[in-house]
Amino acid sequence: MDVFRSAVVVALTTLALSVIDAASYNASWASLDSRPLPQWYADAKFGVFVHWGIFSVPSFGNEWFWYRWKTSNTSSFAKFMKDNYEPGFTYQDFARDFKALFFNPDEWAEIFQSSGAKYVVLTSKHHEGYTLWPSKYSFSWNAKDVGPNRDLVGELASAIRRSTNITFGLYHSLFEWFNPLYLEDEANNFKTQKFVDQKTMPELYELVQTYEPEVVWSDGPMNASDTYWRAKEFLAWLYNDSPVKDTVVANDRWGKGLKCHHGDFYTCRDHYNPGHLIAHKWENCDTVDKNSWGFRRNAGLSDYRTIEELLARLVSTVSCNGNYLLNVGPSKEGVISPIQEERLRQLGQWLSINGEAIYSTRPWTHQKDSRISGVWYTKSKDELYVYAVVLHWPKKNILELGSPHLTTESTVTLLGSDKQLQWNHTDSGIQVTFCSREEAKSNWAWALKMTNVTN
Ligand SMILES: *[C@@H]1O[C@H](CO)[C@@H](O)[C@H](O)[C@H]1NC(C)=O
Ligand SMILES: *[C@@H]1O[C@H](CO)[C@@H](O)[C@H](O)[C@H]1NC(C)=O
Ligand SMILES: *[C@@H]1O[C@H](CO)[C@@H](O)[C@H](O)[C@H]1NC(C)=O
Ligand SMILES: *[C@@H]1O[C@H](CO)[C@@H](O)[C@H](O)[C@H]1NC(C)=O
Ligand SMILES: *[C@@H]1O[C@H](CO)[C@@H](O)[C@H](O)[C@H]1NC(C)=O
């Protein structure tokens, strides 16, 4: 009887807790913003962004191709179409060439894994409205019905989950440039919600239920409010009832004026990298190609960021409490071009030696050094170590730092080696004598690990 009674109590308690739990967030920002950030995201630091869609077919200019072409007859996009395609050729005509002929999701998974990325975010649907999964709300304008005849979202999700520990996430554009339902709502000053109710929200729920992304990266609210989008209701569902409710993170692009104010992490603008500490978790979404998110055939070598540039952006971001989400744009065939692949593999090579200064770290008291430029700090979660990532090898192997205060107990090493480096106090900080450059294990940037740092 007692056993039965306690079983009932346990069952009722569990039920009560799950009821409380299920009701824990309501559709208000006060409530949604009270949700603690899932820690995997704070620890991950580095992810890969993938922009892929019909824009990968013309592969010219950037992923805003359709919009630029249709909204200006004097743009390079309009000229490109006039010069190369017969009159009457439509954007939809590009879809048949989106074949994804050489798309091997296992190869992508291997490249992402070797980059050291802890999460990946794929454009499930960009502003063109074409879905990379067979959405029933995007009939005949999805990857199963026209183009590759494959479920690209599902294939990548499976490959990532099968062979890596990378967390799978999805980008989704709320608006669509030319969707007549959206244009009708817009013409009604967003007083009607046909597009939201018949298209974008049903498909977003479908996307989350089908693929269980643990990052929901929303984009393109344009000048419509979160109320128009029914975004707060979606997020309350995402956090309370969705299959990813305990682990999912969502960004801040859910309505006009919300960027940088709400959501699990801020994406204040593209390439956002403020250079100082932002207390709320944020993300710097950045690109290997300086001028485009989608692959473009007219990019030259100087359009691609060097590994040194990418590392500077990664470490400054992480030092200031950001995550770094680096974009690659695969070709219409589904190939990540060798230069973009190389950058990812170089990041992984660097992280395999210096990852301790990046993954699972927290911001330190200082972000950049007070004395010299090109040095960014992090600390270990247990606060035992402070790391200084040094972007330029010091002249004569001697580095003077202004920010850390050390004690006689302190040790200083370069990641990749156990060898203790000599250090001295100076009038304005410390001076560290590096090993020779040939002895250093790392390339491109170097991470000092310091113990017993007092501020
Ligand atoms: C929603 O949650 C917030 C914060 O917890 C609370 O202040 C507010 O009263 C709640 N609103 C409703 C309608 O329950
Ligand atoms: C471009 O030219 C066509 C044909 O003259 C015209 O119908 C269209 O309105 C023009 N578009 C813009 C954005 O000016
Ligand atoms: C995934 O993580 C587990 C546990 O940390 C580890 O044993 C395994 O090797 C990892 N797998 C890959 C492919 O990295
Ligand atoms: C939204 O922006 C578009 C173009 O950017 C404009 O045509 C439209 O009038 C705007 N609507 C509102 C309600 O501000
Ligand atoms: C440290 O300081 C002492 C005394 O000022 C000096 O003799 C020594 O050369 C310095 N060592 C380094 C590595 O700078």
Side-chain angles (χ1 to χ4, degrees):
M1 192 61 185
D2 278 342
V3 173
F4 175 73
R5 203 172 270 160
S6 50
V8 170
V9 169
V10 168
L12 287 176
T13 310
T14 311
L15 182 67
L17 283 176
S18 67
V19 168
I20 290 167
D21 194 42
S24 35
Y25 302 103
N26 67 41
S28 72
W29 286 115
S31 174
L32 298 169
D33 286 344
S34 71
R35 179 176 183 255
L37 177 71
Q39 283 304 290
W40 77 263
Y41 182 80
D43 290 344
K45 307 301 183 190
F46 175 44
V48 172
F49 210 176
V50 182
H51 272 64
W52 201 27
I54 300 304
F55 50 81
S56 313
V57 177
S59 203
F60 171 89
N62 60 50
E63 68 295 334
W64 275 65
F65 184 96
W66 191 10
Y67 187 82
R68 301 277 176 246
W69 164 31
K70 287 295 165 186
T71 56
S72 162
N73 282 332
T74 54
S75 66
S76 59
F77 298 84
K79 184 174 184 322
F80 173 83
M81 289 309 296
K82 195 164 174 293
D83 291 349
N84 299 294
Y85 292 86
E86 70 271 21
F89 191 95
T90 67
Y91 190 73
Q92 286 83 345
D93 289 331
F94 282 123
R96 64 170 171 257
D97 284 334
F98 185 55
K99 288 261 187 266
L101 222 50
F102 307 129
F103 171 53
N104 181 340
D106 292 310
E107 281 174 15
W108 286 23
E110 191 278 323
I111 293 171
F112 301 156
Q113 172 92 357
S114 78
S115 78
K118 300 296 184 192
Y119 60 109
V120 60
V121 179
L122 168 70
T123 52
S124 67
K125 181 196 84 171
H126 202 258
H127 311 324
E128 62 192 13
Y130 180 88
T131 61
L132 299 193
W133 82 101
S135 175
K136 65 181 173 201
Y137 305 99
S138 192
F139 179 66
S140 286
W141 193 228
N142 69 68
K144 190 80 186 158
D145 287 345
V146 54
N149 192 230
R150 291 163 72 172
D151 174 3
L152 303 176
V153 173
E155 287 192 36
L156 186 62
S158 306
I160 295 279
R161 288 174 173 142
R162 192 169 53 238
S163 59
T164 75
N165 287 326
I166 294 172
T167 301
F168 186 72
L170 289 169
Y171 164 109
H172 173 267
S173 173
L174 289 172
F175 93 119
E176 295 169 20
W177 294 309
F178 302 120
N179 189 304
L181 295 178
Y182 176 73
L183 297 178
E184 187 183 331
D185 286 347
E186 187 181 56
N188 292 332
N189 280 325
F190 301 113
K191 299 242 159 39
T192 55
Q193 287 167 294
K194 280 192 187 172
F195 177 68
V196 176
D197 292 340
Q198 293 172 37
K199 178 65 170 53
T200 215
M201 272 301 153
E203 107 198 327
L204 185 54
Y205 283 90
E206 176 193 64
L207 187 66
V208 172
Q209 275 162 333
T210 310
Y211 303 103
E212 308 189 0
E214 288 171 281
V215 181
V216 175
W217 211 107
S218 177
D219 197 17
M222 301 309 274
N223 49 17
S225 70
D226 55 349
T227 304
Y228 167 75
W229 292 115
R230 303 195 196 282
K232 297 187 292 286
E233 291 74 9
F234 169 78
L235 288 168
W237 171 80
L238 188 69
Y239 293 168
N240 291 332
D241 300 313
S242 80
V244 284
K245 63 188 173 67
D246 298 324
T247 51
V248 71
V249 291
N251 68 340
D252 53 355
R253 300 188 182 183
W254 295 100
K256 187 182 180 180
L258 297 183
K259 259 199 280 198
C260 233
H261 295 293
H262 297 290
D264 295 306
F265 63 96
Y266 295 162
T267 50
C268 304
R269 53 181 176 272
D270 296 351
H271 316 285
Y272 180 62
N273 193 5
H276 57 85
L277 183 66
I278 303 286
H280 189 82
K281 189 67 199 172
W282 58 277
E283 186 183 76
N284 175 0
C285 57
D286 202 20
T287 45
V288 177
D289 178 346
K290 290 173 200 171
N291 296 305
S292 179
W293 296 82
F295 180 64
R296 57 196 180 109
R297 292 170 292 163
N298 55 331
L301 184 58
S302 64
D303 289 311
Y304 293 103
R305 292 195 166 88
T306 63
I307 181 60
E308 288 86 356
E309 288 170 319
L310 295 175
L311 282 172
R313 296 160 89 90
L314 167 72
V315 303
S316 53
T317 296
V318 170
S319 171
C320 299
N321 200 31
N323 276 13
Y324 190 61
L325 183 65
L326 180 63
N327 179 73
V328 292
S331 70
K332 68 179 196 283
E333 288 89 4
V335 172
I336 296 168
S337 68
I339 188 122
Q340 301 188 57
E341 177 185 347
E342 179 181 55
R343 292 297 178 272
L344 292 183
R345 291 194 191 276
Q346 287 171 323
L347 283 164
Q349 195 184 328
W350 189 84
L351 284 163
S352 71
I353 295 165
N354 301 289
E356 186 184 329
I358 301 294
Y359 302 125
S360 300
T361 59
R362 293 294 176 266
W364 185 48
T365 319
H366 302 271
Q367 275 62 60
K368 54 186 161 196
D369 190 66
S370 59
R371 185 186 165 114
I372 60 161
S373 65
V375 176
W376 294 92
Y377 294 100
T378 60
K379 73 175 182 206
S380 60
K381 211 191 274 186
D382 60 14
E383 310 207 330
L384 287 177
Y385 308 108
V386 170
Y387 303 94
V389 182
V390 179
L391 297 174
H392 312 289
W393 186 266
K395 286 202 184 78
K396 296 185 177 156
N397 304 339
I398 294 184
L399 182 73
E400 300 209 9
L401 295 175
S403 297
H405 288 192
L406 302 184
T407 71
T408 51
E409 308 294 305
S410 296
T411 60
V412 181
T413 53
L414 266 181
L415 289 184
S417 163
D418 293 335
K419 194 176 140 191
Q420 291 198 16
L421 302 181
Q422 281 196 26
W423 64 270
N424 266 8
H425 283 293
T426 65
D427 291 347
S428 55
I430 61 165
Q431 170 182 305
V432 181
T433 305
F434 277 41
C435 58
S436 73
R437 183 145 181 186
E438 294 70 37
E439 281 175 280
K441 290 280 182 302
S442 189
N443 278 317
W444 312 306
W446 301 267
L448 292 173
K449 176 180 183 177
M450 299 176 278
T451 67
N452 298 84
V453 182
T454 57
N455 65 336

